[in-house]
PDB file of all heavy atoms in Angstrom:
ATOM      1  N   TYR A 488     242.545 149.939   6.891  1.00 98.00           N
ATOM      2  CA  TYR A 488     241.650 150.717   7.657  1.00 98.00           C
ATOM      3  C   TYR A 488     240.197 150.531   7.147  1.00 98.00           C
ATOM      4  O   TYR A 488     239.871 150.589   5.977  1.00 98.00           O
ATOM      5  CB  TYR A 488     242.035 152.282   7.412  1.00 98.00           C
ATOM      6  CG  TYR A 488     241.105 153.148   8.279  1.00 98.00           C
ATOM      7  CD1 TYR A 488     241.335 153.151   9.582  1.00 98.00           C
ATOM      8  CD2 TYR A 488     240.088 153.884   7.642  1.00 98.00           C
ATOM      9  CE1 TYR A 488     240.456 154.011  10.367  1.00 98.00           C
ATOM     10  CE2 TYR A 488     239.149 154.692   8.382  1.00 98.00           C
ATOM     11  CZ  TYR A 488     239.458 154.726   9.737  1.00 98.00           C
ATOM     12  OH  TYR A 488     238.577 155.583  10.553  1.00 98.00           O
ATOM     13  N   PRO A 490     236.341 151.940   7.867  1.00 96.00           N
ATOM     14  CA  PRO A 490     235.683 153.162   8.424  1.00 96.00           C
ATOM     15  C   PRO A 490     234.739 152.686   9.539  1.00 96.00           C
ATOM     16  O   PRO A 490     234.311 151.548   9.541  1.00 96.00           O
ATOM     17  CB  PRO A 490     235.055 153.712   7.184  1.00 96.00           C
ATOM     18  CG  PRO A 490     234.778 152.618   6.205  1.00 96.00           C
ATOM     19  CD  PRO A 490     235.988 151.709   6.435  1.00 96.00           C
ATOM     20  N   PRO A 494     229.596 150.166   5.460  1.00 79.00           N
ATOM     21  CA  PRO A 494     228.456 149.400   4.983  1.00 79.00           C
ATOM     22  C   PRO A 494     228.768 147.844   4.972  1.00 79.00           C
ATOM     23  O   PRO A 494     229.851 147.467   5.005  1.00 79.00           O
ATOM     24  CB  PRO A 494     228.296 149.767   3.422  1.00 79.00           C
ATOM     25  CG  PRO A 494     229.602 150.412   3.019  1.00 79.00           C
ATOM     26  CD  PRO A 494     230.160 150.927   4.350  1.00 79.00           C
ATOM     27  N   SER A 496     228.456 145.479   2.929  1.00 78.00           N
ATOM     28  CA  SER A 496     229.160 144.843   1.757  1.00 78.00           C
ATOM     29  C   SER A 496     229.287 145.982   0.674  1.00 78.00           C
ATOM     30  O   SER A 496     228.748 147.044   0.763  1.00 78.00           O
ATOM     31  CB  SER A 496     228.266 143.679   1.240  1.00 78.00           C
ATOM     32  OG  SER A 496     227.059 144.165   0.849  1.00 78.00           O
ATOM     33  N   ALA A 497     230.060 145.556  -0.381  1.00 92.00           N
ATOM     34  CA  ALA A 497     230.234 146.318  -1.542  1.00 92.00           C
ATOM     35  C   ALA A 497     230.844 147.718  -1.355  1.00 92.00           C
ATOM     36  O   ALA A 497     230.440 148.723  -1.941  1.00 92.00           O
ATOM     37  CB  ALA A 497     228.908 146.475  -2.304  1.00 92.00           C
ATOM     38  N   MET A 498     231.685 147.772  -0.309  1.00 96.00           N
ATOM     39  CA  MET A 498     232.424 149.018  -0.123  1.00 96.00           C
ATOM     40  C   MET A 498     233.401 149.356  -1.263  1.00 96.00           C
ATOM     41  O   MET A 498     234.037 148.400  -1.783  1.00 96.00           O
ATOM     42  CB  MET A 498     233.279 149.033   1.119  1.00 96.00           C
ATOM     43  CG  MET A 498     232.610 149.589   2.375  1.00 96.00           C
ATOM     44  SD  MET A 498     233.805 149.792   3.805  1.00 96.00           S
ATOM     45  CE  MET A 498     234.353 148.045   4.017  1.00 96.00           C
ATOM     46  N   PRO A 499     233.627 150.582  -1.555  1.00 97.00           N
ATOM     47  CA  PRO A 499     234.918 150.884  -2.429  1.00 97.00           C
ATOM     48  C   PRO A 499     236.201 150.701  -1.748  1.00 97.00           C
ATOM     49  O   PRO A 499     236.225 150.497  -0.504  1.00 97.00           O
ATOM     50  CB  PRO A 499     234.699 152.316  -2.803  1.00 97.00           C
ATOM     51  CG  PRO A 499     233.345 152.649  -2.366  1.00 97.00           C
ATOM     52  CD  PRO A 499     232.925 151.689  -1.301  1.00 97.00           C
ATOM     53  N   LEU A 500     237.259 150.398  -2.512  1.00 98.00           N
ATOM     54  CA  LEU A 500     238.557 150.259  -1.921  1.00 98.00           C
ATOM     55  C   LEU A 500     239.486 151.239  -2.508  1.00 98.00           C
ATOM     56  O   LEU A 500     239.607 151.296  -3.748  1.00 98.00           O
ATOM     57  CB  LEU A 500     239.054 148.854  -2.255  1.00 98.00           C
ATOM     58  CG  LEU A 500     240.508 148.505  -1.826  1.00 98.00           C
ATOM     59  CD1 LEU A 500     240.651 148.698  -0.255  1.00 98.00           C
ATOM     60  CD2 LEU A 500     240.977 147.174  -2.250  1.00 98.00           C
ATOM     61  N   VAL A 501     240.299 151.872  -1.602  1.00 98.00           N
ATOM     62  CA  VAL A 501     241.357 152.836  -2.000  1.00 98.00           C
ATOM     63  C   VAL A 501     242.653 152.176  -1.528  1.00 98.00           C
ATOM     64  O   VAL A 501     242.792 151.959  -0.438  1.00 98.00           O
ATOM     65  CB  VAL A 501     241.183 154.193  -1.565  1.00 98.00           C
ATOM     66  CG1 VAL A 501     242.424 155.172  -1.979  1.00 98.00           C
ATOM     67  CG2 VAL A 501     239.909 154.806  -2.186  1.00 98.00           C
ATOM     68  N   VAL A 502     243.572 152.017  -2.581  1.00 98.00           N
ATOM     69  CA  VAL A 502     244.961 151.410  -2.176  1.00 98.00           C
ATOM     70  C   VAL A 502     245.930 152.622  -2.129  1.00 98.00           C
ATOM     71  O   VAL A 502     245.992 153.319  -3.179  1.00 98.00           O
ATOM     72  CB  VAL A 502     245.392 150.345  -3.080  1.00 98.00           C
ATOM     73  CG1 VAL A 502     246.706 149.894  -2.765  1.00 98.00           C
ATOM     74  CG2 VAL A 502     244.344 149.271  -3.112  1.00 98.00           C
ATOM     75  N   ALA A 524     238.008 158.332   4.308  1.00 97.00           N
ATOM     76  CA  ALA A 524     237.278 156.979   4.381  1.00 97.00           C
ATOM     77  C   ALA A 524     236.107 156.915   5.255  1.00 97.00           C
ATOM     78  O   ALA A 524     235.066 156.260   4.908  1.00 97.00           O
ATOM     79  CB  ALA A 524     238.309 155.944   4.704  1.00 97.00           C
ATOM     80  N   GLY A 527     233.486 158.905   3.427  1.00 95.00           N
ATOM     81  CA  GLY A 527     232.989 158.296   2.168  1.00 95.00           C
ATOM     82  C   GLY A 527     232.534 156.791   2.255  1.00 95.00           C
ATOM     83  O   GLY A 527     232.031 156.380   1.276  1.00 95.00           O
ATOM     84  N   GLY A 528     232.939 156.238   3.385  1.00 96.00           N
ATOM     85  CA  GLY A 528     232.507 154.751   3.466  1.00 96.00           C
ATOM     86  C   GLY A 528     233.302 153.798   2.712  1.00 96.00           C
ATOM     87  O   GLY A 528     232.733 152.998   1.969  1.00 96.00           O
ATOM     88  N   PHE A 529     234.587 154.049   2.583  1.00 97.00           N
ATOM     89  CA  PHE A 529     235.430 152.996   1.768  1.00 97.00           C
ATOM     90  C   PHE A 529     236.610 152.539   2.615  1.00 97.00           C
ATOM     91  O   PHE A 529     236.992 153.207   3.640  1.00 97.00           O
ATOM     92  CB  PHE A 529     235.914 153.695   0.498  1.00 97.00           C
ATOM     93  CG  PHE A 529     236.904 154.919   0.738  1.00 97.00           C
ATOM     94  CD1 PHE A 529     238.253 154.868   0.912  1.00 97.00           C
ATOM     95  CD2 PHE A 529     236.245 156.164   0.693  1.00 97.00           C
ATOM     96  CE1 PHE A 529     238.979 156.071   1.212  1.00 97.00           C
ATOM     97  CE2 PHE A 529     236.988 157.430   0.971  1.00 97.00           C
ATOM     98  CZ  PHE A 529     238.410 157.269   1.143  1.00 97.00           C
ATOM     99  N   MET A 530     237.103 151.311   2.216  1.00 97.00           N
ATOM    100  CA  MET A 530     238.241 150.817   2.982  1.00 97.00           C
ATOM    101  C   MET A 530     239.477 151.262   2.267  1.00 97.00           C
ATOM    102  O   MET A 530     239.481 151.587   1.213  1.00 97.00           O
ATOM    103  CB  MET A 530     238.104 149.162   2.869  1.00 97.00           C
ATOM    104  CG  MET A 530     239.223 148.512   3.515  1.00 97.00           C
ATOM    105  SD  MET A 530     239.095 146.664   3.447  1.00 97.00           S
ATOM    106  CE  MET A 530     237.766 146.434   4.666  1.00 97.00           C
ATOM    107  N   VAL A 531     240.604 151.334   3.148  1.00 98.00           N
ATOM    108  CA  VAL A 531     241.800 151.738   2.645  1.00 98.00           C
ATOM    109  C   VAL A 531     242.833 150.693   2.980  1.00 98.00           C
ATOM    110  O   VAL A 531     242.923 150.213   4.094  1.00 98.00           O
ATOM    111  CB  VAL A 531     242.333 153.113   3.321  1.00 98.00           C
ATOM    112  CG1 VAL A 531     243.441 153.679   2.561  1.00 98.00           C
ATOM    113  CG2 VAL A 531     241.223 154.138   3.339  1.00 98.00           C
ATOM    114  N   VAL A 571     239.455 142.145  -1.708  1.00 97.00           N
ATOM    115  CA  VAL A 571     238.127 142.350  -2.301  1.00 97.00           C
ATOM    116  C   VAL A 571     237.229 141.143  -2.102  1.00 97.00           C
ATOM    117  O   VAL A 571     236.009 141.229  -1.605  1.00 97.00           O
ATOM    118  CB  VAL A 571     238.273 142.593  -3.838  1.00 97.00           C
ATOM    119  CG1 VAL A 571     236.920 142.587  -4.500  1.00 97.00           C
ATOM    120  CG2 VAL A 571     238.848 143.989  -4.106  1.00 97.00           C
ATOM    121  N   GLY A 575     234.168 141.338   0.727  1.00 95.00           N
ATOM    122  CA  GLY A 575     232.966 141.551  -0.068  1.00 95.00           C
ATOM    123  C   GLY A 575     233.010 142.974  -0.619  1.00 95.00           C
ATOM    124  O   GLY A 575     231.943 143.652  -0.658  1.00 95.00           O
ATOM    125  N   LEU A 576     234.131 143.508  -1.094  1.00 96.00           N
ATOM    126  CA  LEU A 576     234.230 144.803  -1.569  1.00 96.00           C
ATOM    127  C   LEU A 576     233.652 144.936  -2.938  1.00 96.00           C
ATOM    128  O   LEU A 576     233.527 143.920  -3.708  1.00 96.00           O
ATOM    129  CB  LEU A 576     235.701 145.321  -1.493  1.00 96.00           C
ATOM    130  CG  LEU A 576     236.366 145.229  -0.239  1.00 96.00           C
ATOM    131  CD1 LEU A 576     237.799 145.646  -0.226  1.00 96.00           C
ATOM    132  CD2 LEU A 576     235.664 146.038   0.943  1.00 96.00           C
ATOM    133  N   ASP A 577     233.366 146.133  -3.480  1.00 97.00           N
ATOM    134  CA  ASP A 577     232.896 146.429  -4.783  1.00 97.00           C
ATOM    135  C   ASP A 577     233.971 146.189  -5.790  1.00 97.00           C
ATOM    136  O   ASP A 577     234.868 147.137  -5.914  1.00 97.00           O
ATOM    137  CB  ASP A 577     232.260 147.864  -4.866  1.00 97.00           C
ATOM    138  CG  ASP A 577     231.485 147.950  -6.142  1.00 97.00           C
ATOM    139  OD1 ASP A 577     231.637 147.118  -7.117  1.00 97.00           O
ATOM    140  OD2 ASP A 577     230.737 148.922  -6.253  1.00 97.00           O
ATOM    141  N   PRO A 578     233.951 145.240  -6.655  1.00 97.00           N
ATOM    142  CA  PRO A 578     235.114 145.114  -7.610  1.00 97.00           C
ATOM    143  C   PRO A 578     235.130 146.128  -8.707  1.00 97.00           C
ATOM    144  O   PRO A 578     236.067 146.269  -9.502  1.00 97.00           O
ATOM    145  CB  PRO A 578     234.759 143.715  -8.272  1.00 97.00           C
ATOM    146  CG  PRO A 578     233.339 143.436  -7.961  1.00 97.00           C
ATOM    147  CD  PRO A 578     233.028 144.121  -6.753  1.00 97.00           C
ATOM    148  N   GLU A 579     233.941 146.818  -8.849  1.00 97.00           N
ATOM    149  CA  GLU A 579     233.887 147.920  -9.877  1.00 97.00           C
ATOM    150  C   GLU A 579     234.592 149.195  -9.290  1.00 97.00           C
ATOM    151  O   GLU A 579     234.711 150.145 -10.066  1.00 97.00           O
ATOM    152  CB  GLU A 579     232.461 148.130 -10.353  1.00 97.00           C
ATOM    153  CG  GLU A 579     231.924 147.026 -11.137  1.00 97.00           C
ATOM    154  CD  GLU A 579     230.523 147.348 -11.728  1.00 97.00           C
ATOM    155  OE1 GLU A 579     229.988 148.351 -11.415  1.00 97.00           O
ATOM    156  OE2 GLU A 579     229.991 146.457 -12.391  1.00 97.00           O
ATOM    157  N   ARG A 580     234.775 149.281  -8.064  1.00 98.00           N
ATOM    158  CA  ARG A 580     235.218 150.438  -7.414  1.00 98.00           C
ATOM    159  C   ARG A 580     236.519 150.330  -6.692  1.00 98.00           C
ATOM    160  O   ARG A 580     236.642 150.515  -5.411  1.00 98.00           O
ATOM    161  CB  ARG A 580     234.119 151.119  -6.541  1.00 98.00           C
ATOM    162  CG  ARG A 580     233.008 151.630  -7.322  1.00 98.00           C
ATOM    163  CD  ARG A 580     231.991 152.413  -6.434  1.00 98.00           C
ATOM    164  NE  ARG A 580     231.364 151.557  -5.607  1.00 98.00           N
ATOM    165  CZ  ARG A 580     230.624 152.005  -4.454  1.00 98.00           C
ATOM    166  NH1 ARG A 580     230.491 153.290  -4.232  1.00 98.00           N
ATOM    167  NH2 ARG A 580     230.069 151.128  -3.704  1.00 98.00           N
ATOM    168  N   VAL A 581     237.545 149.761  -7.293  1.00 98.00           N
ATOM    169  CA  VAL A 581     238.864 149.661  -6.801  1.00 98.00           C
ATOM    170  C   VAL A 581     239.852 150.735  -7.279  1.00 98.00           C
ATOM    171  O   VAL A 581     239.933 150.815  -8.603  1.00 98.00           O
ATOM    172  CB  VAL A 581     239.385 148.266  -7.024  1.00 98.00           C
ATOM    173  CG1 VAL A 581     240.816 148.142  -6.576  1.00 98.00           C
ATOM    174  CG2 VAL A 581     238.580 147.235  -6.411  1.00 98.00           C
ATOM    175  N   TYR A 582     240.449 151.478  -6.477  1.00 98.00           N
ATOM    176  CA  TYR A 582     241.184 152.647  -6.884  1.00 98.00           C
ATOM    177  C   TYR A 582     242.681 152.534  -6.300  1.00 98.00           C
ATOM    178  O   TYR A 582     242.710 151.978  -5.107  1.00 98.00           O
ATOM    179  CB  TYR A 582     240.485 153.997  -6.518  1.00 98.00           C
ATOM    180  CG  TYR A 582     239.196 154.000  -6.891  1.00 98.00           C
ATOM    181  CD1 TYR A 582     238.113 153.853  -5.894  1.00 98.00           C
ATOM    182  CD2 TYR A 582     238.597 154.290  -8.155  1.00 98.00           C
ATOM    183  CE1 TYR A 582     236.752 153.937  -6.118  1.00 98.00           C
ATOM    184  CE2 TYR A 582     237.249 154.267  -8.550  1.00 98.00           C
ATOM    185  CZ  TYR A 582     236.377 154.163  -7.463  1.00 98.00           C
ATOM    186  OH  TYR A 582     235.006 154.185  -7.766  1.00 98.00           O
ATOM    187  N   TRP A 750     239.829 161.488  -3.842  1.00 98.00           N
ATOM    188  CA  TRP A 750     238.620 160.793  -3.506  1.00 98.00           C
ATOM    189  C   TRP A 750     237.497 161.216  -4.459  1.00 98.00           C
ATOM    190  O   TRP A 750     236.703 160.552  -4.914  1.00 98.00           O
ATOM    191  CB  TRP A 750     238.248 160.739  -2.091  1.00 98.00           C
ATOM    192  CG  TRP A 750     236.764 160.221  -1.758  1.00 98.00           C
ATOM    193  CD1 TRP A 750     235.834 160.772  -1.203  1.00 98.00           C
ATOM    194  CD2 TRP A 750     236.479 158.940  -2.125  1.00 98.00           C
ATOM    195  NE1 TRP A 750     234.748 160.028  -1.142  1.00 98.00           N
ATOM    196  CE2 TRP A 750     235.099 158.761  -1.703  1.00 98.00           C
ATOM    197  CE3 TRP A 750     237.006 157.759  -2.694  1.00 98.00           C
ATOM    198  CZ2 TRP A 750     234.345 157.585  -1.836  1.00 98.00           C
ATOM    199  CZ3 TRP A 750     236.246 156.607  -2.904  1.00 98.00           C
ATOM    200  CH2 TRP A 750     235.013 156.500  -2.484  1.00 98.00           C
ATOM    201  N   PHE A 753     237.941 159.907  -7.769  1.00 98.00           N
ATOM    202  CA  PHE A 753     237.655 158.473  -7.874  1.00 98.00           C
ATOM    203  C   PHE A 753     236.173 158.130  -7.806  1.00 98.00           C
ATOM    204  O   PHE A 753     235.639 157.256  -8.428  1.00 98.00           O
ATOM    205  CB  PHE A 753     238.280 157.695  -6.590  1.00 98.00           C
ATOM    206  CG  PHE A 753     239.836 157.559  -6.702  1.00 98.00           C
ATOM    207  CD1 PHE A 753     240.460 157.191  -5.633  1.00 98.00           C
ATOM    208  CD2 PHE A 753     240.405 157.708  -7.989  1.00 98.00           C
ATOM    209  CE1 PHE A 753     241.821 156.949  -5.823  1.00 98.00           C
ATOM    210  CE2 PHE A 753     241.747 157.365  -8.086  1.00 98.00           C
ATOM    211  CZ  PHE A 753     242.515 157.095  -6.924  1.00 98.00           C
ATOM    212  N   GLN A 754     235.403 159.030  -7.167  1.00 97.00           N
ATOM    213  CA  GLN A 754     233.925 158.791  -6.982  1.00 97.00           C
ATOM    214  C   GLN A 754     233.204 158.795  -8.256  1.00 97.00           C
ATOM    215  O   GLN A 754     232.188 158.080  -8.410  1.00 97.00           O
ATOM    216  CB  GLN A 754     233.323 159.869  -6.096  1.00 97.00           C
ATOM    217  CG  GLN A 754     233.560 159.604  -4.605  1.00 97.00           C
ATOM    218  CD  GLN A 754     232.953 160.825  -3.770  1.00 97.00           C
ATOM    219  OE1 GLN A 754     233.269 161.907  -3.840  1.00 97.00           O
ATOM    220  NE2 GLN A 754     231.885 160.357  -3.064  1.00 97.00           N
ATOM    221  N   ARG A 757     234.117 154.055 -12.453  1.00 96.00           N
ATOM    222  CA  ARG A 757     233.835 152.712 -12.259  1.00 96.00           C
ATOM    223  C   ARG A 757     234.605 151.900 -13.294  1.00 96.00           C
ATOM    224  O   ARG A 757     234.742 152.317 -14.394  1.00 96.00           O
ATOM    225  CB  ARG A 757     232.333 152.452 -12.331  1.00 96.00           C
ATOM    226  CG  ARG A 757     231.596 152.740 -10.949  1.00 96.00           C
ATOM    227  CD  ARG A 757     230.134 152.397 -11.114  1.00 96.00           C
ATOM    228  NE  ARG A 757     229.396 152.647  -9.846  1.00 96.00           N
ATOM    229  CZ  ARG A 757     229.143 151.862  -9.007  1.00 96.00           C
ATOM    230  NH1 ARG A 757     229.536 150.557  -9.045  1.00 96.00           N
ATOM    231  NH2 ARG A 757     228.398 152.187  -7.857  1.00 96.00           N
TER     232      ARG A 757
END
Side-chain angles (χ1 to χ4, degrees):
Y488 182 75
S496 62
M498 268 192 298
L500 173 65
V501 174
V502 181
F529 58 90
M530 181 178 284
V531 193
V571 169
L576 306 177
D577 188 348
E579 293 186 356
R580 294 187 292 167
V581 173
Y582 312 104
W750 172 238
F753 284 166
Q754 283 180 293
R757 280 180 178 267

